Amino acid sequence: LMKELVTTGMSRKSLCSDDFYKSRPDLALHLYGLPWEQHKEVGDALFGTDDEDIDDLKENGWDVNVTGEGDMTPFEKYSICVMICKQGFKEETVAAFYGRDRSVISRYKDEWMPKLGAAGADMSELDLEMNHNIFDEEVKRNF
């Protein structure tokens, strides 16, 4: 019964469930802009490393494999902010998904939006010239 409840309707538990997204593969694309597994991989790549700036995240429980139980995890807060950025959901909407008050979602945004902004700024500084490309010069010329 619990597994069915987790995978049949939108709730905090279902939004953390791999099985929920397996049965609705397009939902993660809608909510996060990526398939569920890729959303988790991007989050882990951005915030699950040993970088000194984010050691506090690891100490505070960064883990993409969450259950939707207990205290809200850093990954869930990250996911909420990605959802808001991707779909422009109002805080009230996300609060209803997660069974939280709107003011709590606002605090999560205050905490995580700057982190997402910093990650985006870091990504925008990547060298986009072809000199780092794995393709040889002939392949590059054909692009």
Side-chain angles (χ1 to χ4, degrees):
L1 175 63
M2 196 60 173
K3 183 174 176 116
E4 184 178 340
L5 288 173
V6 166
T7 59
T8 56
M10 193 174 289
S11 67
R12 180 179 174 206
K13 284 180 96 54
S14 63
L15 288 168
C16 295
S17 169
D18 292 341
D19 290 338
F20 182 69
Y21 295 104
K22 285 178 187 167
S23 65
R24 294 162 183 80
D26 292 337
L27 182 59
L29 281 171
H30 174 71
L31 295 176
Y32 312 109
L34 295 169
W36 175 241
E37 288 302 320
Q38 286 182 16
H39 171 68
K40 293 192 320 184
E41 289 168 3
V42 167
D44 213 23
L46 293 175
F47 302 107
T49 68
D50 291 328
D51 189 308
E52 289 178 19
D53 293 337
I54 57 175
D55 277 345
D56 64 312
L57 292 176
K58 294 187 93 170
E59 290 172 14
N60 291 322
W62 178 264
D63 187 1
V64 297
N65 299 306
V66 295
T67 63
E69 297 176 342
D71 293 337
M72 191 70 73
T73 67
F75 175 72
E76 289 176 283
K77 295 174 187 178
Y78 157 78
S79 294
I80 285 169
C81 288
V82 169
M83 204 183 299
I84 290 169
C85 290
K86 172 66 180 160
Q87 285 301 333
F89 287 134
K90 294 184 180 217
E91 292 171 359
E92 292 85 355
T93 302
V94 179
F97 291 165
Y98 280 85
R100 296 289 188 270
D101 188 78
R102 186 211 55 80
S103 64
V104 174
I105 301 301
S106 180
R107 286 195 298 273
Y108 297 159
K109 279 177 53 180
D110 289 346
E111 177 186 358
W112 274 90
M113 288 301 189
K115 293 174 185 177
L116 286 176
D122 288 344
M123 291 172 57
S124 72
E125 294 176 8
L126 293 175
D127 180 9
L128 297 179
E129 294 182 23
M130 293 296 278
N131 61 5
H132 69 282
N133 204 306
I134 61 171
F135 299 112
D136 61 29
E137 290 299 318
E138 182 179 340
V139 173
K140 291 180 197 176
R141 280 191 293 273
N142 292 328
F143 276 110

